[in-house]
């Protein structure tokens, strides 16, 4: 692969001023070898978010006065990092895994902690073992609230026998279907029910000094459970054993390999490529860095010219191409670069952390290439391009697309009547719609 | 610009406050008397037994006492459907349609899919086949309709920001989003379209979008003006806005005849009694907006609202229900033989439940859809093999009043 092609496909788009590596695979590997360089400012922990949520609820405050600033600070610092990162491959993997383990603002009241979920449950494990990320996700209050497990109670537990409450199988089902085995893994409804029982008691303690994950013995369904032919014991330990079983299962490795190849290489993954990645996962006990570094060795044989950019990809690539960002975004400043990017995600159809369903955002071009989407992109690009008062659009075009830039696009840009129109043509070209 | 394409589309800037609704339309015609069909996908699995409650079934209370509303005729109670069934009180407008013989719920329906995954089930529901296809049954149905006036560039239009699988396929569907307040001049758009002309993905999309814009802007402006807000100053929700627009487009003398809408918010795993009212209200107001937008054309319109599967008969531990099988579908419209509940009620005794858990499905959703395609859109029964490949979808009889 050409350097620029690799940097675009595995990153977030070239920043206008970036130097291009002549050894793209080394560039990718170094990002995963070195520690995460992202520095987040003005944000706290999950516990801080839960305290804000608790205080609002106890005092019946209207309008999210404590949670809103926390959310805005998360958006500001995380989107600033997305625009400025020098580790775009690592950053792309972080957002990929967030989407794999989707938590959404649409349900569960996760606004106070969704940013912390990204920083605490996803980011530390991007180059680690899959099973460790799985456990971190499943114990995180954001996931327990989003998929209702915080209120699931074993019918035969002490709490279940007292009241009329009981099981909620939502998290157990989505964990089997989306996070680990996938339907091809061959689980049954009985396995879902057993796993839901295993996970009873996994909840959120809002009342503690440091609110967060809690295992509620009183809500836990007693007894040995059989899932996928394996027996799992009682208590919190049984749940951890089940997650270890699922997080290292061959069907899980195949499933996440499929998702990785789909996200980075092609909408229609080749079984041979998927097998290569899942074999690496098998051999390394689920090492995600090793699996990620397998991806650049695979060749996209489709003639599509790269993966079609989702709205989030697209808006980020445009703003990086224009070297936007740099001054830290103030959380409540509607004109900050982070806020501009946040608004673009929504306007183009992919509002931040707001996936409609637990399966997250699509990785298929067909889901993002409706006529309305295309026109919305050009309209938005035109507005953004209007803010550029200096620099040569053609320099930017060569810097961000390199050999992929077509002569036709160059000609159209040369004939454009203004810097704004030239940049709009660049960002509306078919080659810029792909990474 | 000459309005050659009869389709239009409005995208909403999706935001998490608006939720995600979408509309797609197809099948342009200049024949005012042509039948219209609207399909509403309710994504997330509607609990059919809460929408149309079989309160006359003696086993119901044992399974889900906390979810059952008071009987019809009492305060806050269900709406009367003539005994055995009661309609959820959020469905006021649909109840009026029922009373007028224009609403026909079909109970205990399901597709052929049994694994209780939202995502696979929605793909099956929209594909109309046993396995996911890259085209949807409604698109294939449109491609079989007599295309008297289809322009050279295809036709059809998606509203919202995506075209659902249901309406993707051989019959071309375009889409349109309203421009922001400031946007490039037409010449730059022309250049953008030229830059993308040879691209198989972006080329047709941009062509369709630009051609749709002129016609759509007019329709959309009048639609937006026509939506009446329930409370002064509050924005109507996306689904009602789109329903109004769809109604007006389908009503126009030269316009599309097929529309697909989607509405979310049905996945009620917890506190269902509090949470189901909102999406039901949106659905109800959307159906009313369709009827109002269609005007006299309502007498030639059928609306089919369906969901990927139902929910468990028993209440779960958190006041909600989990993924199930059988559920309800709604058929509404002027030509509908309504005012009754169709389908075969399977009963709720443990031995009668599907896997001792779900409402047993007794009618295949594809038979309901096929019944409408044949009796309302006048497709030939033999064509159902193309629309629903691999399914023995014998069209359900008696959904439409015989003229």
């Amino acid at each position: 692969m050409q350097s620029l092609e690799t940097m675009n496909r595995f990153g977030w788009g070239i920043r206008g001023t970036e130097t291009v590596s002549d050894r793209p695979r080394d560039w990718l590997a170094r990002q995963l070898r070195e520690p995460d360089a992202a520095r987040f400012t003005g944000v706290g922990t999950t516990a801080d978010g839960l305290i804000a949520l608790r205080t609002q609820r106890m005092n019946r405050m209207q309008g999210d006065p404590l949670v809103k600033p926390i959310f805005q600070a998360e958006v500001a610092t995380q989107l600033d990092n997305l625009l400025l990162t020098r580790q775009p491959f690592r950053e792309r993997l972080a957002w990929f895994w967030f989407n794999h383990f989707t938590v959404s603002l649409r349900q569960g009241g996760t606004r106070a902690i969704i940013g912390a979920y990204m920083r605490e449950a996803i980011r530390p494990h991007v180059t680690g073992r899959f099973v460790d990320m799985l456990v971190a996700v499943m114990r995180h209050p954001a996931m327990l609230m989003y998929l209702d497990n915080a209120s699931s109670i074993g019918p035969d537990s002490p709490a279940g026998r007292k009241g009329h409450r009981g099981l909620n199988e939502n998290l157990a089902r989505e964990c089997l279907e989306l996070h680990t085995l996938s339907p091809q893994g061959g689980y049954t409804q009985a396995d879902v029910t057993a796993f839901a029982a295993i996970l009873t008691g996994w909840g959120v303690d809002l009342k503690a000094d440091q609110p967060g994950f809690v295992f509620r013995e009183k809500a836990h369904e007693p007894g040995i459970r059989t899932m996928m032919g394996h027996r799992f014991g009682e208590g919190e330990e049984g749940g951890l054993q089940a997650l270890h079983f699922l997080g290292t299962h061959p069907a899980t490795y195949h499933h996440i390999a499929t998702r990785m190849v789909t996200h980075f290489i092609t909408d229609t993954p080749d079984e041979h490529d998927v097998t290569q990645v899942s074999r690496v996962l098998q051999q390394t006990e689920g090492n995600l860095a090793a699996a990620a570094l397998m991806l650049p060795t695979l060749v996209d044989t489709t003639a599509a010219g790269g993966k079609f950019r989702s709205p989030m990809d697209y808006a980020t690539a445009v703003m990086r191409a224009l070297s936007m960002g740099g001054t830290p975004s103030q959380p409540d400043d509607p004109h900050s670069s982070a806020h501009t990017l946040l608004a673009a995600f929504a306007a183009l159809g992919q509002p931040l952390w707001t996936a409609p369903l637990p399966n997250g955002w699509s990785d298929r071009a067909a889901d993002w290439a409706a006529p309305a989407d295309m026109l919305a992109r050009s309209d938005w690009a035109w507005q953004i391009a209007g803010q550029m008062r200096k620099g040569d659009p053609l320099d930017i075009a060569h810097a961000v697309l390199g050999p992929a830039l077509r002569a036709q696009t160059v000609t159209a840009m040369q004939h454009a009547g203004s810097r704004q129109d030239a940049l709009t043509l660049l960002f509306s070209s078919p080659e810029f719609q792909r990474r | 610009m000459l309005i050659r394409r009869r389709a239009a589309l409005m995208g909403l800037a999706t935001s998490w406050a608006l939720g995600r609704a979408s509309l797609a339309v197809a099948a342009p015609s200049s024949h005012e008397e042509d039948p219209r069909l609207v399909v509403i996908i309710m994504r997330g699995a509607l609990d059919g037994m809460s929408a149309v409650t079989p309160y006359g079934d003696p086993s119901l209370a044992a399974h889900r006492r906390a979810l059952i509303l008071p009987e019809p005729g009492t305060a806050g109670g269900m709406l009367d459907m003539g005994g055995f069934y009661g309609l959820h009180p959020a469905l006021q407008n649909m109840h009026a349609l029922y009373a007028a013989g224009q609403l026909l719920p079909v109970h205990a329906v399901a597709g052929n899919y049994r694994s209780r995954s939202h995502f696979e089930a929605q793909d099956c529901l929209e594909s109309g086949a046993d396995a996911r296809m890259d085209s949807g049954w409604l698109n294939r149905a449109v491609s079989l309709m007599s295309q008297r006036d289809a322009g050279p560039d295809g036709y059809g239009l998606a509203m919202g920001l995506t075209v659902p699988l249901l309406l993707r396929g051989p019959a071309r569907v375009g889409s349109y989003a309203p421009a922001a307040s400031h946007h490039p001049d037409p010449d730059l758009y022309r250049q953008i379209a030229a830059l993308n002309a040879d691209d198989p993905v972006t080329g047709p999309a941009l062509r369709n979008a630009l051609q749709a814009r002129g016609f759509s802007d007019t329709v959309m402006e009048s639609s937006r003006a026509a939506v009446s807000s329930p409370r002064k100053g509050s924005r109507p929700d996306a689904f009602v806005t789109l329903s109004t627009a769809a109604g007006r487009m389908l009503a126009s003398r030269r316009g599309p005849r097929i529309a697909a809408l989607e509405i979310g918010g049905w996945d009620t795993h917890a506190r269902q009694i509090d949470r189901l009212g909102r999406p039901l209200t949106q659905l109800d107001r959307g159906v009313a907006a369709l009827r109002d937008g269609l005007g006299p054309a309502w007498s030639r319109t059928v609306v089919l609202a369906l969901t990927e599967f139902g929910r468990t008969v028993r209440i779960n531990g958190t006041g909600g229900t989990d993924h199930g099988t059988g559920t309800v579908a709604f058929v509404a419209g002027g030509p509908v033989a309504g005012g009754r509940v169709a389908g075969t009620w399977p009963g709720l005794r443990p031995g009668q439940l599907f896997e001792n858990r779900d409402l047993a499905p007794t009618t295949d959703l594809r038979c309901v859809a096929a019944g409408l395609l044949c009796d309302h859109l006048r497709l030939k029964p033999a064509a159902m093999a193309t629309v629903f490949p691999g399914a023995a979808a014998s069209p359900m009889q008696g959904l439409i009043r015989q003229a």
Side-chain angles (χ1 to χ4, degrees):
Chain A
M1 275 191 195
Q2 299 269 6
S3 294
L4 265 176
E5 188 190 342
T6 303
M7 291 172 81
N8 272 323
R9 184 184 285 262
F10 292 95
W12 282 100
I14 306 292
R15 273 191 77 83
T17 55
E18 205 167 359
T19 44
V20 176
S21 162
D22 54 0
R23 302 174 66 185
R25 288 213 201 147
D26 292 353
W27 177 80
L28 294 174
R30 194 169 60 244
Q31 294 178 43
L32 304 194
R33 199 170 51 240
E34 291 171 355
D36 187 349
R39 295 289 170 266
F40 299 108
T41 55
V43 289
T45 62
T46 296
D48 296 328
L50 291 172
I51 288 169
L53 184 65
R54 172 176 78 194
T55 311
Q56 277 187 185
R57 282 185 185 169
M58 277 173 25
N59 299 310
R60 296 210 171 77
M61 299 176 176
Q62 296 301 307
D64 242 10
L66 306 181
V67 168
K68 188 177 175 185
I70 289 177
F71 179 74
Q72 288 178 323
E74 292 282 4
V75 169
T77 192
Q78 294 201 35
L79 294 191
D80 275 357
N81 178 62
L82 187 59
L83 288 173
L84 296 170
T85 180
R86 297 285 179 161
Q87 298 177 318
F89 184 33
R90 175 183 279 276
E91 197 63 31
R92 178 162 281 287
L93 288 164
W95 289 92
F96 166 80
W97 287 114
F98 180 97
N99 194 53
H100 179 79
F101 291 112
T102 289
V103 167
S104 170
L105 296 168
R106 284 178 187 271
Q107 62 180 42
T110 56
R111 202 168 175 221
I113 53 174
I114 197 163
Y117 168 75
M118 173 69 156
R119 291 181 295 104
E120 294 171 12
I122 303 289
R123 291 193 82 95
H125 303 287
V126 161
T127 56
R129 290 194 316 158
F130 176 77
V131 67
D132 296 333
M133 191 187 293
L134 175 67
V135 171
V137 161
M138 295 288 285
R139 292 171 73 88
H140 196 281
M143 183 61 85
L144 294 165
M145 288 154 64
Y146 174 55
L147 292 180
D148 305 309
N149 206 76
S151 48
S152 181
I153 289 175
D156 287 327
S157 67
R161 285 198 301 271
K162 264 200 323 218
H164 296 294
R165 296 185 304 159
L167 277 190
N168 182 319
E169 65 180 36
N170 203 12
L171 178 63
R173 174 182 304 280
E174 302 306 11
C175 181
L176 290 171
E177 178 182 340
L178 302 173
H179 303 158
T180 60
L181 302 176
S182 87
Q184 285 70 45
Y187 59 86
T188 63
Q189 177 59 46
D191 294 321
V192 175
T193 309
F195 190 31
I198 289 169
L199 289 179
T200 47
W202 288 48
V204 182
D205 185 354
L206 260 186
K207 297 195 179 82
D209 285 348
Q210 285 293 302
F213 175 84
V214 65
F215 178 73
R216 295 188 200 280
E217 191 73 53
K218 281 197 166 66
H220 183 65
E221 183 74 354
I224 307 277
R225 304 279 145 201
T226 301
M227 174 178 69
M228 300 288 291
H230 290 251
R231 290 156 58 80
F232 297 96
E234 290 187 21
E236 187 181 356
E237 189 54 36
L240 290 169
Q241 286 166 1
L243 288 178
H244 193 272
F245 168 79
L246 294 170
T248 56
H249 195 285
T252 297
Y253 289 151
H254 186 271
H255 175 54
I256 63 176
T258 306
R259 295 214 48 180
M260 290 173 95
V261 175
T262 306
H263 183 79
F264 285 96
I265 307 296
T266 166
D267 291 18
T268 50
D270 184 271
E271 189 55 36
H272 172 76
D273 288 350
V274 171
T275 306
Q276 295 213 61
V277 178
S278 65
R279 195 179 301 133
V280 171
L281 289 165
Q282 285 280 17
Q283 289 162 347
T284 60
E285 293 183 333
N287 183 295
L288 297 178
L293 289 172
M294 190 74 205
L295 295 165
T297 70
L298 308 175
V299 184
D300 177 6
T301 52
T302 60
K307 283 283 299 182
F308 199 81
R309 280 180 160 142
S310 70
M312 187 174 177
D313 279 348
Y314 177 80
T316 305
V318 167
M319 289 184 68
R320 281 174 66 93
L322 297 175
S323 302
M324 294 175 92
T327 28
S329 297
Q330 295 306 309
D332 53 358
D333 174 10
H335 304 293
S336 67
S337 42
H339 202 279
T340 302
L341 191 55
L342 179 76
F345 292 169
L348 302 183
Q350 195 180 11
L352 180 72
W353 293 330
T354 313
L357 291 166
N359 60 339
W361 299 109
S362 164
D363 261 327
R364 284 198 292 246
D367 292 317
W368 297 120
D373 297 341
M374 295 292 94
L375 217 50
R377 289 183 189 202
S378 292
D379 288 341
W380 177 79
W382 188 79
Q383 290 172 38
I384 287 285
Q387 300 176 22
M388 299 309 292
R389 299 275 177 263
K390 56 181 194 295
D392 183 344
L394 275 166
D395 289 348
I396 294 176
H398 286 290
V400 301
L401 288 174
L405 183 65
R406 300 176 311 152
Q408 191 189 352
T409 304
V410 173
T411 307
M413 289 176 70
Q414 285 167 336
H415 295 163
S418 68
R419 179 177 282 120
Q420 181 179 20
D421 284 3
L423 287 169
T424 305
L425 287 165
L426 168 64
F427 298 138
S428 302
S429 67
E431 57 267 42
F432 195 89
Q433 304 293 347
R434 282 138 178 137
R435 56 171 170 88
Chain B
M1 184 175 76
L2 274 175
I3 300 164
R4 227 183 26 212
R5 258 163 59 83
R6 316 280 161 244
L9 176 306
M10 171 178 68
L12 290 167
T14 36
S15 75
W16 58 273
L18 265 180
R20 187 181 177 91
S22 84
L23 161 62
V25 299
S29 165
S30 56
H31 298 265
E32 255 185 301
E33 70 284 0
D34 278 352
R36 276 79 161 168
L37 176 66
V38 181
V39 179
I40 300 173
I41 307 171
M42 300 179 281
R43 292 190 193 281
L46 160 70
D47 182 42
M49 298 193 356
S50 288
V52 178
T53 306
Y55 70 90
D57 188 307
S59 307
L60 182 72
H63 295 307
R64 47 162 68 202
R65 184 177 307 280
L67 290 181
I68 307 173
L69 297 170
E71 295 208 354
T74 50
M78 293 177 259
L79 306 173
D80 181 41
M81 300 180 83
F84 193 79
Y85 294 108
L87 195 65
H88 193 287
L91 301 176
Q92 298 282 350
N93 291 299
M94 287 166 68
H95 187 248
L97 289 176
Y98 187 86
Q102 296 186 354
L103 175 73
L104 176 64
V106 188
H107 224 315
V109 297
N112 57 316
Y113 173 85
R114 296 289 175 268
S115 291
R116 305 192 182 97
S117 154
H118 287 302
F119 322 111
E120 293 189 335
Q122 287 174 17
D123 282 350
C124 282
L125 177 81
E126 295 178 70
S127 294
D130 290 347
R132 187 185 200 278
M133 303 170 63
D134 288 330
S135 63
W137 62 262
L138 188 57
N139 185 292
R140 294 193 298 275
V142 167
S143 67
L144 294 169
M145 290 165 67
S146 54
Q147 291 170 32
R148 282 168 290 209
D149 308 322
D153 207 34
Y155 52 84
L157 171 66
M159 307 195 77
L161 285 168
T162 54
V163 181
L165 176 61
L166 179 71
L167 204 45
R168 290 187 209 162
R172 290 273 291 280
V173 173
S175 76
Y176 165 84
S181 48
H182 306 287
H183 51 89
D185 65 33
D187 187 54
L188 188 64
Y189 283 134
R190 198 185 48 71
Q191 292 179 58
I192 289 170
L195 264 189
N196 287 274
D198 297 333
D199 189 281
V201 176
T202 60
L206 279 161
R207 258 198 314 278
N208 285 339
L210 292 169
Q211 287 176 322
R213 200 166 246 188
F215 173 67
S216 315
D217 273 345
T218 331
V219 175
M220 289 305 145
E221 280 311 315
S222 57
S223 298
R224 272 195 287 272
V227 175
S228 53
S229 301
R231 296 185 308 280
K232 210 175 152 106
S234 78
R235 280 192 306 186
D237 71 67
F239 184 70
V240 175
T241 306
L242 290 172
S243 298
T244 302
R248 297 187 147 231
M249 281 191 282
L250 294 170
S252 64
R253 196 172 58 80
R254 302 173 63 91
R257 298 295 175 250
I258 303 290
L261 289 136
E262 50 187 53
I263 173 174
W266 308 101
D267 198 20
T268 47
H269 282 279
R271 303 209 318 277
Q272 179 171 308
I273 202 94
D274 307 325
R275 290 185 181 175
L276 197 55
R278 186 166 173 273
L280 283 172
T281 301
Q282 288 181 327
L283 174 72
D284 187 66
R285 291 177 48 219
V287 170
L290 272 169
R291 180 199 56 207
D292 297 346
L294 278 153
W298 176 251
S299 67
R300 294 185 290 281
T301 301
V302 171
V303 181
L304 168 64
L306 34 70
T307 189
E308 67 261 35
F309 46 64
R311 311 192 67 86
T312 46
V313 171
R314 296 179 187 90
I315 195 166
N316 72 8
T318 52
T321 48
D322 292 318
H323 301 186
T325 307
T327 184
V328 78
F330 291 106
V331 182
V336 172
R340 61 196 173 94
V341 178
T344 305
W345 185 249
L348 295 177
R349 290 197 302 277
Q352 297 171 320
L353 301 185
F354 177 73
E355 295 182 356
N356 187 25
R357 167 187 166 105
D358 307 338
L359 181 64
T362 52
T363 301
D364 188 327
L365 260 177
R366 293 171 298 182
C367 299
V368 181
L372 299 177
L373 294 178
C374 294
D375 290 355
H376 180 57
L377 294 189
R378 302 277 167 222
L379 292 186
K380 295 182 174 63
M384 292 305 102
T386 307
V387 178
F388 299 109
S394 53
M396 191 170 178
Q397 304 294 308
L399 300 173
I400 303 296
R401 278 198 321 273
Q402 295 308 314

